[in-house]
Amino acid sequence: MTATRFQTTRSEELYRRALELLPGGVNSPVRAMRAIARDPVFVARGSGSRIWDADGNEYVDWVGSWGPLILGHAHPAVVEAVIAAARNGTTFGAATEGEVSLAAEVAARIPSVQMLRMTSSGTEATMSALRLARAVTGREQVLKFSGAYHGHVDGLLAEAGSGLATQGIPASPGVPAATARATVIVPWNEPDALRAATEEHRLAAIIAEPVPANMGVVPPAPGFLELLREQADAAGALLVFDEVITGFRIGRGGAQERFRVVPDLTIMGKVVGGGLPAAAYGGSRELMRRIAPAGDVYQAGTLSGNPLAVAAGLATLELLDAGAYDRLEAVTVRLADGLREAAAQSGRPVVVQQVPGLLTVFFTADPVTGYSGAVACDRDAYGSWCRALLARGVYPPASQFEAWFPSLAHTDDDLDRTVSAAAEAFAEVRSG
Ligand SMILES: *Cc1c(COP(=O)(O)O)cnc(C)c1O
């Protein structure tokens, strides 16, 4: 970025080649950074809270691969665990001890998960949990919330957050109409709309991110998660919490522990794989025994429970004790307060919304309580603020419909650098 106009940087060169070989030059849409009107950063390596791009520029990383890296990049305990596992063989397509240990560790943290099935991605876990919910209830319709993201599952792409919101895609072409019709969409944090929808439709499941983080962070209004539980019970539907982001992050037992609302099925991902591809879905033994080969609901995966991913997940969870969650909360609070102050100094109206381990900076004057509020923010201003941060060595989520992911690797120095860069960036946005 500091190179002269006449020289092509390594990143520019890589992007030029990538555009010919990968759709949009990337393997997942938000990485392209189109929402903030710039070219993607090609990352060469990471260590702790920092990443370096292909041209050697250093950044304080607040994305952490969108959630898995709660310990930071290349944590020695995780790297050692992965190397040790790899030495013994990278995959067997057979049962291993590590899978049993990881399942026990998850069950110890999340009491509603007595039994689980691992997958390689959160998308697969969501897809499979809904198959189970449909099998158990004998119904087809699923209620989701607008602005929530549950992976790129066909039926859940309508009014989805994350990359779809970022690209302004209301629903993806290629989804069968019948599949789309099986999804009922309700605005988040609106009790009357939820009540009306649960009365009108025969629902197999209500699926929710208990703290939505894919339209930016929009915590549940007091009583709203309780209402989900009530309405699911009244309708005879399963309550499915997608804790792919919140699980093992906003607390030891995820959102269900923090808000004391217990779902029937829980979807996990990101942190549970410690930075390698792993996810899972789980619930009571009674429900999970419907999954093959214990039961008749089919679901499988060649690399499910992969030994390297299991080792990384276990090494990560082992370090997530009560003290770790206190530290993560402290980092989140300092970052949120610092960003608020920086914005206030510049006179820029922003709202910072947070739960421990997650936050979003919304360019608006009023709290965001749902997807329409998130869409109404000044996203161009967010984009130019992000470009100004990147130019100052701070790597924010390149879309306001995403969260910042504080980690245990972030230091006081990272916080100071970030807040002073943010103050300069706010001033630049105002004048620009
Ligand atoms: C990331 C995410 C998913 C999808 O997980 P992938 O591993 O990307 O398929 C599902 N639900 C939520 C809440 C997520 O944030």
Side-chain angles (χ1 to χ4, degrees), residues 121-123 126 149-151 209 214 242 244-245 270:
S121 71
T123 297
T126 308
Y149 180 68
H150 303 292
E209 297 181 65
N214 285 293
D242 179 347
V244 169
I245 283 183
K270 297 189 172 130

Side-chain angles (χ1 to χ4, degrees), residues 52 59 125 130 138 140 156 193 205 225 243 259 266 275 280 292 298 305 325 342 355 379 382 397-398 415:
W52 287 265
Y59 305 87
L130 293 186
E140 293 202 348
L156 301 179
L225 292 182
E243 296 228 41
F259 294 97
T266 300
Y298 195 72
Y325 286 106
V355 288
R379 285 176 284 137
Y382 180 84
L415 287 160

Side-chain angles (χ1 to χ4, degrees), residues 109 251-252 316-327 408:
R109 287 166 189 256
R252 191 172 180 275
T316 299
L317 292 182
E318 242 162 55
L319 292 173
L320 296 177
D321 55 14
Y325 286 106
D326 290 345
R327 292 204 308 284
L408 293 163

Side-chain angles (χ1 to χ4, degrees), residues 143-150 159 184-194 206-229 239-242 246 255 259 261 353 355 362 368-374:
L143 185 151
K144 80 171 278 272
F145 294 94
S146 51
Y149 180 68
H150 303 292
E159 289 187 39
V184 177
I185 300 163
V186 167
W188 179 244
N189 277 334
E190 294 192 19
D192 291 342
L194 175 65
I206 296 177
I207 184 169
E209 297 181 65
V211 179
N214 285 293
M215 51 177 138
V217 174
V218 182
F224 194 66
L225 292 182
E226 288 83 347
L227 183 67
L228 295 190
R229 181 69 271 177
L239 180 59
V240 181
F241 274 0
D242 179 347
T246 52
F259 294 97
V261 174
Q353 298 189 176
V355 288
F362 290 103
V368 172
T369 59
Y371 187 46
S372 56

